[in-house]
Amino acid sequence: MKKTTATKSTETARKGARFPKRKYREALEGEKPVAWGMARLGGAHAILKALDVIPLYPENYATVCAAKQMSVPYLDLCAGEGLSRYLCGYFRTDVGYLCKYLKEGREPEDAPWGGMAKPDFFLPNWRWKLCDEGVKFFHTLGRYMDVPSYCLDLPVPPSTHNYEEIKDYYIQYIVDQYKELRGFIEKVTGRKMDMDKFEEAVDNTLETNRLWYECHELRKEVPCPMPAQDAWSCLPPGYFWPADKESVEFYRELYEELKYRVANKIGAVPNERYRLLFTEGAPYHSLWIFDYFYEIGAIIVIEGAYYAPGPPPEIPEGADPFYKLALRYWADYEPWLRKAKGSTETWETDRFLDWARDYKCDGGIMHHCLDCRTVSVLLPHIKNVLLRHAYIPCYFLEDCLVDPRDLPPVERIKSEMQAFLEVMDHHKDIRKKKGLPVAHP
Amino acid sequence: MSLQDRSQRAQELRREGKRIIGYFCCYVPLEFLTALDFVPYRIWANMQEPISEANLHFIPTACHYARSCFNNALKGYYDFFDGVVGAKTCDTFDRMFQVWKYVLKPEYSHVVHTPNANHPSSYTFFRSELKTFKKSLERAAGREISDKDLREAIRLHNNNRRLVRQLYEFRKESPPRISGSELAHTVILAMSLPVQESTRMLEEKMGELENRPRPEPVKPRILLWGTPVDDISLIQLIEECGADVVMDDICVGSRHYWPDVAETDDPLDGLVERYMDKLVCPFKFWDVTTTHRQDVEKRYSYLKQYAKEFGADGAIMQVVTYCAIHALDVPDVRDYFHEMGLPVLTLEHDYNVATFSSLRTRVQAFIETLD
Amino acid sequence: MYVLGLDVGSVVTKSVLMDDRKIVFSNTGYSSGDFQSTASAMIDAVLERVDLDGRDSLRVFSTGCGAEMVPSSKAHLNDISCQARGVNYLFPSIRTIIEISGRSTKVIKVDGQGRVVNFATSERCAASSGKFLQLISRITGIDIDRMGEVSLRSKKGVKFTTGCAVFAETEVISRIAEGITVEDILAGVYEIMANKAFNLLRGIEPEGDIAVTGGGAKDSGLVRAIERRLEREVYVPKEPFITAALGAALIGEERLQE
């Protein structure tokens, strides 16, 4: 398929994409300790920042390999390691990378961005109890990199609980672990935490998340000023390094750019006709398929349950910085945890429902990743809920996170998307009759 | 009683006015249910029927075991439940619980949030979480649990577990007087009854076994590792290939019955300890403080003990397709068995008897090498 | 004005020639590996039958997986919309379509105008495609065209424990070895396929009258099994292969009038 550039990418997005490369390079210089963790690091970035530790993310590095068309050789190397083919595609990419690393005794020559610097410790975290595999894989990584670990076990209240009754001890558990983590890192690295630096890093984290949240709020406008590719390009600073001053500046710049676009009604696609919700996991190896969506006037306006931060939390005067950090983390899902009981029973589906309405979506793209159950298990359920409660239809795209060999034939995707436009039209009529918001009547 | 009829007694009890609570996973503290006179009933999957209904809510590449459990519920097999209780352990089960609650709207439901780490703070958290569970059950029952009730329930369950362990003792014999499939059958029924009745059934079984003559001949002895198996077909397949399954590391088995609750002054102390420290499942992330090698030793040293006490000649590691947390431990556990000098066979299966024929030749070949 | 709808499928290519919303002529033939030459052969066959001054005045609209390989096509249309429009033309009361083809099963909901309301497809599942029947035909030694009528003789179909084609294959072999009759086995096989279609259908909450199309609709055993599973009768077009080509011609006519 011809690759086109139907979208008007934001200027800032290009800078966002350069962010990770700088970090991976800095880590390779070897002056600062390095931690390998899971996405969003359980909100603990500021603790690492204050102790001068650089967090790197095997998960993120696998997406870099996918984007650079390097995953296939790594996946092939992993195949000889006795690990099942259905395990996480990111993880298998990393294992392949490590096999090569051990064989060559250093970062492999052809590794994207010079490779992933060796860690001093692992920081697995069970982010919202969503990905057991992402925690567990650090046990397996231990086979290749023998370093100590601290697992951030971040609780998420089940919808069977009375939120008000339990929230205090849930948040306290996060605060306690942040403090334990500090002790752990101090012991492993021999460094002492500078409290002033920590306060500053916490404030940066709060500000990064606030601005990033505001950027997403602007995407509710019609026409939408920012497409999915940009949102994914703009994700690394806030997702991986939010405690850095540069991240705050990055989102401030992005916010200004988006505000200008909104004020001047500049849409990301020239002729916006359909607004889409996308879940889950970007197909980094084949992002160009979205160009086709844009050609037919369909733009993804919000993506993924786990990316966009929630609204800024209310922070009590004079709060302890560890507590502030925990509140920020908690805020990402707080509005939905509060109401999950008795609604659709999961904060994930409640969140999608709110988004589908707030972002005035016409349809959803359910990206069923064959190699990522975490983001895929609930997709049929989400589809049912969106249709039943919001009259929003969904299209299933079956694919893999990192392995381009599993993408269905492009002709089929195009043909099914064409039919899906008719489906969206039909449901748009239903929503109009029911008095529900429709962006493009 | 055949396994197909395992719910008969629970259904009878319900007609008599008892309240039946289905539970997933051995991390649900049953002692609280028993203390309030609820009947805990383990939620089973189904090896004999294909998954049809559950795929309307879950992708087909989600754990076959979890989907099969839900499939049974959607087919109405669990309509006799008054409620369901889950534990936040693996994420597929956790999400299945949420969908279960949305679709089937059980009268009572609760999830016990099990920490997956073992930090000092995890124990404090889990203690609060047990109190939340207790409170929630008390609301459902309309009465409170006294420490005395809870202690009594702990004693009942400890006694029940002790009996199962005694049954396992018969498997140390060579050849064992109780086959692997018979034992699994007994354990599955034991988990489908109120604890008092379960204990009576086990006592009868014990009496019968003591007078049973030793079978012939001596066969290779297998230790079975892996994901839940709540049907005897897989074990029978191994037996038909000419081996005895003498020990397991499975949650419908030793993982559930090995650890007891210490009878402490404050009963919560003993409960926290059992559910935090003593139960084993790969979902738990123990922090690595020294080396990976020592970490594996810490997590799996009990396997060495099992292998020795039960005289295993080989290990079969079985993992239901799409159980990532078990699949990720496969290389480590396999190496660990090898270090003990045990040959290993790894099997991946779809939790459906129709898929077993392809396993048979592999099991046969493996057992031949053990002779 | 003649409009030709051409559905270039992975196994069979179909064509329908229409004039002012009336079917003039239809034709089917096996697709060769080369879609382009398959398409021109089909067009030539039409030209032989119909009096046209030249190829230029035949307006072609293509659909199916080889749609883009038809050089003379005025537009490449998606096969789901075509299927919906074609069935609506034949049976206006139909609101739900099950299309079983060589590669996959599709279920489509349509409105009274033949527009797509919702759809779902089963890819990556051999048990919901014609390929599965070919496989079973090979194992049982019953010709694929006769399997349906043989299965209808069954009094009690085999209950398979799996819904997966790969495992069903081994199960079929062992049932044959157990001495179970071929008709009971075939009835069980059709039940697997009917269940697959039924489950796909439930995902889009079907309503109204139901039609079965595609190559699978020619198989009486399969159609009967689907009816049993749905507990109702279904509509089957006389020529179930050509509905998408018919839809392509209809959409083509509309486009030309616009």
Side-chain angles (χ1 to χ4, degrees):
Chain A
M1 180 180 168
K2 193 163 62 87
K3 298 183 186 187
T4 59
T5 44
T7 49
K8 278 189 238 141
S9 204
T10 51
E11 288 301 315
T12 327
R14 285 184 245 280
K15 292 185 191 163
R18 286 198 288 269
F19 225 88
K21 189 172 179 176
R22 235 176 26 236
K23 285 288 179 185
Y24 283 88
R25 284 275 154 84
E26 189 190 347
L28 280 172
E29 285 164 16
E31 279 163 23
K32 293 177 179 175
V34 172
W36 284 9
M38 273 291 281
R40 224 157 199 181
L41 216 64
H45 312 84
I47 300 169
L48 277 72
K49 182 77 191 168
L51 283 155
D52 252 344
V53 178
I54 304 178
L56 299 182
Y57 303 87
E59 191 186 12
N60 168 249
Y61 192 70
T63 66
V64 176
C65 295
K68 300 212 173 279
Q69 309 297 329
M70 269 300 289
S71 15
V72 174
Y74 289 148
L75 291 170
D76 288 346
L77 272 175
C78 174
E81 293 294 289
L83 289 160
S84 190
R85 165 82 172 77
Y86 62 70
L87 289 168
C88 168
Y90 289 159
F91 169 63
R92 286 183 291 120
T93 306
D94 294 326
V95 167
Y97 166 81
L98 286 172
C99 289
K100 200 157 185 202
Y101 183 104
L102 291 183
K103 206 171 132 209
E104 299 187 6
R106 49 159 316 199
E107 290 81 16
E109 284 289 339
D110 55 356
W113 296 349
M116 205 170 16
K118 192 179 181 313
D120 294 89
F121 60 92
F122 289 145
L123 191 43
N125 74 82
W126 203 338
R127 192 170 33 129
W128 294 98
K129 287 273 179 188
L130 278 173
C131 179
D132 47 16
E133 202 169 340
V135 176
K136 187 70 194 170
F137 90 47
F138 284 90
H139 268 157
T140 311
L141 284 185
R143 293 170 66 81
Y144 307 89
M145 289 275 161
D146 213 348
V147 294
S149 65
Y150 182 90
C151 168
L152 275 170
D153 174 35
L154 299 155
V156 55
S159 68
T160 57
H161 290 24
N162 291 323
Y163 180 75
E164 290 300 330
E165 263 176 38
I166 54 90
K167 74 162 197 268
D168 288 345
Y169 77 82
Y170 270 70
I171 296 173
Q172 190 59 44
Y173 185 31
I174 301 174
V175 175
D176 289 347
Q177 290 185 79
Y178 284 169
K179 291 182 176 167
E180 287 171 355
L181 174 64
R182 171 202 175 167
F184 166 80
I185 301 176
E186 288 185 339
K187 203 173 133 215
V188 172
T189 63
R191 290 165 185 244
K192 274 273 160 268
M193 189 191 255
D194 176 337
M195 281 313 279
D196 290 338
K197 220 173 155 182
F198 181 47
E199 296 255 8
E200 192 194 318
V202 170
D203 290 343
N204 285 344
T205 306
L206 291 172
E207 190 60 2
T208 297
N209 278 294
R210 185 188 69 80
L211 285 163
W212 190 16
Y213 167 79
E214 294 296 343
C215 291
H216 276 293
E217 288 293 292
L218 290 175
R219 298 176 74 198
K220 290 178 180 169
E221 300 290 337
V222 181
C224 176
M226 180 162 82
Q229 286 105 311
D230 276 16
W232 283 317
S233 297
C234 291
L235 176 146
Y239 212 54
F240 301 122
W241 302 283
D244 291 25
K245 192 86 209 143
E246 293 79 14
S247 301
V248 177
E249 278 153 20
F250 171 80
Y251 289 105
R252 189 165 292 137
E253 206 176 307
L254 178 65
Y255 180 75
E256 292 305 326
E257 194 185 347
L258 294 178
K259 226 171 76 179
Y260 173 82
R261 283 190 168 200
V262 168
N264 295 284
K265 296 258 170 225
I266 303 172
V269 294
N271 183 20
E272 176 181 308
R273 283 169 59 221
Y274 299 94
R275 296 167 66 89
L276 302 171
L277 174 155
F278 182 90
T279 179
E280 187 62 77
Y284 283 102
H285 51 77
S286 310
L287 283 175
W288 48 266
I289 60 170
F290 295 114
D291 288 341
Y292 175 67
F293 291 18
Y294 300 139
E295 274 172 28
I296 54 179
I299 178 171
I300 293 167
V301 293
I302 185 71
E303 54 289 304
Y306 325 122
Y307 302 136
E314 265 179 53
I315 306 233
E317 194 79 35
D320 165 65
F322 287 100
Y323 184 59
K324 277 193 200 173
L325 210 53
L327 284 184
R328 175 58 253 181
Y329 181 75
W330 193 251
D332 281 350
Y333 306 93
E334 205 271 352
W336 297 281
L337 293 175
R338 198 176 272 285
K339 68 181 193 190
K341 184 169 180 154
S343 63
T344 66
E345 303 299 346
T346 87
W347 61 265
E348 288 169 78
T349 40
D350 277 335
R351 192 176 207 200
F352 278 126
L353 263 183
D354 284 356
W355 276 349
R357 289 170 185 146
D358 296 348
Y359 286 81
K360 302 178 203 70
C361 295
D362 297 299
I365 307 291
M366 305 275 113
H367 186 213
H368 172 185
C369 303
L370 297 170
D371 56 352
C372 179
R373 273 163 306 287
T374 294
V375 299
S376 309
V377 270
L378 272 189
L379 292 182
H381 177 62
I382 294 170
K383 179 203 81 177
N384 296 343
V385 165
L386 284 176
L387 191 63
R388 193 160 310 149
H389 298 259
Y391 309 98
I392 290 171
C394 293
Y395 166 61
F396 263 75
L397 178 61
E398 231 176 51
D399 179 33
C400 275
L401 279 178
V402 292
D403 199 333
R405 294 170 292 194
D406 281 315
L407 192 75
V410 173
E411 299 320 320
R412 209 190 96 209
I413 299 178
K414 281 170 77 170
S415 148
E416 292 185 356
M417 269 308 284
Q418 280 291 345
F420 188 59
L421 297 183
E422 266 183 54
V423 175
M424 287 196 285
D425 284 338
H426 175 84
H427 288 86
K428 199 182 270 187
D429 286 343
I430 296 180
R431 288 200 306 283
K432 267 192 282 188
K433 275 183 208 137
K434 300 217 177 255
L436 293 165
V438 174
H440 302 287
Chain B
M1 183 191 280
S2 96
L3 289 183
Q4 262 64 44
D5 305 323
R6 62 180 92 165
S7 70
Q8 217 174 61
R9 181 61 187 149
Q11 304 213 33
E12 237 170 66
L13 285 166
R14 184 162 196 257
R15 285 192 289 273
E16 289 166 19
K18 290 263 189 196
R19 291 168 81 183
I20 317 294
I21 305 285
Y23 71 94
F24 301 111
C25 180
C26 52
Y27 277 83
V28 174
L30 306 181
E31 290 81 358
F32 290 100
L33 294 164
T34 300
L36 281 167
D37 210 21
F38 289 120
V39 177
Y41 182 92
R42 170 136 181 159
I43 291 166
W44 306 111
N46 198 330
M47 255 186 202
Q48 311 294 334
E49 292 175 19
I51 295 167
S52 50
E53 316 297 303
N55 291 347
L56 291 178
H57 309 275
F58 282 96
I59 53 164
T61 47
C63 166
H64 286 283
Y65 184 78
R67 274 186 303 130
S68 177
C69 287
F70 189 39
N71 200 59
N72 279 346
L74 290 168
K75 280 183 152 180
Y77 297 170
Y78 294 136
D79 286 354
F80 62 94
F81 287 174
D82 293 283
V84 277
V85 178
K88 238 183 219 294
T89 47
C90 63
D91 58 8
T92 307
F93 255 100
D94 179 35
R95 284 153 140 194
M96 190 249 287
F97 190 94
Q98 296 165 5
V99 181
W100 181 307
K101 200 169 165 232
Y102 174 80
V103 177
L104 295 166
K105 302 191 174 26
E107 195 184 311
Y108 173 77
S109 62
H110 191 85
V111 172
V112 181
H113 198 313
T114 319
N116 77 316
N118 284 58
H119 310 311
S121 53
S122 314
Y123 294 83
T124 318
F125 170 78
F126 188 57
R127 197 179 179 76
S128 306
E129 192 60 16
L130 285 185
K131 286 182 183 160
T132 301
F133 181 38
K134 180 167 167 265
K135 212 185 291 176
S136 150
L137 278 174
E138 287 172 340
R139 276 187 203 132
R143 69 180 172 96
E144 289 190 358
I145 306 178
S146 69
D147 276 3
K148 190 170 152 278
D149 294 338
L150 194 52
R151 277 201 205 96
E152 177 58 18
I154 289 170
R155 254 195 308 278
L156 287 170
H157 280 279
N158 279 349
N159 190 33
N160 185 263
R161 291 188 277 251
R162 185 182 51 80
L163 278 161
V164 172
R165 291 197 297 271
Q166 280 179 11
L167 268 189
Y168 271 71
E169 287 294 310
F170 289 98
R171 301 166 98 185
K172 289 183 178 170
E173 300 166 348
S174 179
R177 264 182 282 180
I178 182 165
S179 70
S181 49
E182 188 184 352
L183 188 125
H185 187 274
T186 313
V187 162
I188 293 163
L189 292 182
M191 286 177 161
S192 310
L193 293 170
V195 65
Q196 301 90 333
E197 292 184 26
S198 167
T199 299
R200 273 201 296 283
M201 186 218 27
L202 291 166
E203 281 165 349
E204 277 169 33
K205 190 88 193 169
M206 289 288 297
E208 190 227 310
L209 274 173
E210 269 157 20
N211 299 315
R212 192 184 282 187
R214 291 275 179 96
E216 288 289 335
V218 174
K219 295 175 189 164
R221 302 167 66 84
I222 300 292
L223 196 166
L224 190 65
W225 180 90
T227 47
V229 178
D230 58 22
D231 186 292
I232 55 171
S233 308
L234 183 65
I235 300 174
Q236 271 175 337
L237 183 149
I238 299 170
E239 289 169 348
E240 284 159 17
C241 294
D244 277 322
V245 176
V246 292
M247 186 51 187
D248 65 75
D249 179 23
I250 283 172
C251 70
V252 185
S254 74
R255 286 190 193 167
H256 184 90
Y257 287 104
W258 243 241
D260 275 339
V261 177
E263 296 183 18
T264 46
D265 286 343
D266 180 348
L268 274 187
D269 290 339
L271 287 162
V272 168
E273 186 202 25
R274 177 179 194 264
Y275 290 94
M276 283 293 292
D277 289 347
K278 292 182 176 173
L279 281 179
V280 289
C281 173
F283 100 91
K284 203 92 180 173
F285 192 93
W286 293 82
D287 283 324
V288 180
T289 49
T290 47
T291 62
H292 177 71
R293 183 69 197 74
Q294 281 164 307
D295 167 56
V296 173
E297 184 69 39
K298 186 166 85 184
R299 287 189 283 134
Y300 281 111
S301 60
Y302 64 90
L303 288 177
K304 216 176 248 173
Q305 209 182 325
Y306 289 171
K308 201 170 144 232
E309 286 177 9
F310 290 84
D313 300 313
I316 293 182
M317 299 173 67
Q318 56 84 30
V319 178
V320 65
T321 319
Y322 307 124
C323 175
I325 51 176
H326 275 85
L328 281 167
D329 258 359
V330 163
D332 277 339
V333 179
R334 179 200 58 203
D335 292 355
Y336 195 66
F337 278 129
H338 281 159
E339 277 171 39
M340 294 179 214
L342 287 186
V344 177
L345 174 70
T346 309
L347 302 175
E348 207 172 278
H349 61 86
D350 287 358
Y351 214 81
N352 186 307
V353 287
T355 65
F356 286 174
S357 50
S358 57
L359 307 181
R360 191 176 291 271
T361 32
R362 299 185 52 210
V363 174
Q364 266 163 353
F366 176 68
I367 290 172
E368 274 167 29
T369 66
L370 298 179
D371 270 333
Chain C
M1 176 179 57
Y2 284 127
V3 178
L4 183 73
L6 196 59
D7 174 8
V8 189
S10 61
V11 184
V12 179
T13 294
K14 310 92 183 171
S15 69
V16 172
L17 183 71
M18 296 200 90
D19 181 16
D20 196 20
R21 284 185 65 83
K22 280 189 197 67
I23 301 176
V24 180
F25 169 69
S26 71
N27 191 14
T28 59
Y30 284 105
S31 306
S32 69
D34 177 3
F35 286 143
Q36 203 168 322
S37 57
T38 305
S40 28
M42 287 301 265
I43 293 170
D44 288 344
V46 173
L47 291 173
E48 271 172 32
R49 289 283 299 263
V50 190
D51 186 22
L52 285 172
D53 356 333
R55 199 170 291 206
D56 285 345
S57 52
L58 183 68
R59 292 161 177 90
V60 181
F61 288 82
S62 60
T63 184
C65 66
E68 300 204 4
M69 310 300 272
V70 185
S72 56
S73 174
K74 290 205 166 307
H76 314 134
L77 305 170
N78 81 78
D79 52 345
I80 297 167
S81 299
C82 290
Q83 188 67 241
R85 215 59 68 86
V87 173
N88 173 262
Y89 174 88
L90 297 174
F91 309 118
S93 74
I94 293 293
R95 291 294 171 273
T96 306
I97 303 163
I98 304 172
E99 185 212 349
I100 300 175
S101 72
R103 273 200 320 184
S104 67
T105 295
K106 288 191 186 74
V107 293
I108 306 166
K109 262 167 85 168
V110 290
D111 66 10
Q113 279 74 50
R115 282 183 308 231
V116 181
V117 168
N118 210 343
F119 67 91
T121 56
S122 77
E123 292 291 328
R124 298 179 204 267
C125 174
S128 29
S129 72
K131 283 233 173 71
F132 184 42
L133 291 177
Q134 287 168 8
L135 185 84
I136 298 298
S137 160
R138 213 171 52 228
I139 301 170
T140 54
I142 307 279
D143 188 73
I144 196 155
D145 296 329
R146 280 193 55 238
M147 276 172 31
E149 61 171 275
V150 172
S151 79
L152 293 176
R153 293 203 296 263
S154 163
K155 293 262 179 316
K156 191 171 179 293
V158 173
K159 284 261 176 268
F160 287 104
T161 36
T162 177
C164 171
V166 179
F167 294 117
E169 182 185 0
T170 33
E171 222 181 330
V172 167
I173 293 169
S174 50
R175 294 300 166 95
I176 292 173
E178 284 166 26
I180 301 206
T181 65
V182 149
E183 54 247 43
D184 287 348
I185 287 172
L186 289 178
V189 164
Y190 285 124
E191 197 192 309
I192 291 181
M193 290 187 73
N195 276 336
K196 287 272 167 196
F198 179 69
N199 287 329
L200 201 59
L201 209 53
R202 283 199 297 175
I204 59 165
E205 297 175 4
E207 45 192 274
D209 289 341
I210 298 176
V212 180
T213 67
K218 288 197 154 191
D219 189 316
S220 55
L222 180 57
V223 172
R224 187 71 200 95
I226 289 172
E227 288 185 324
R228 245 195 324 265
R229 191 69 189 84
L230 294 171
E231 294 173 2
R232 60 188 294 176
E233 285 185 8
V234 298
Y235 289 68
V236 178
K238 247 191 243 118
E239 293 183 70
F241 262 138
I242 61 153
T243 39
L246 172 60
L250 286 163
I251 296 175
E253 275 195 353
E254 281 165 31
R255 293 240 177 130
L256 290 172
Q257 276 156 14
E258 269 168 18

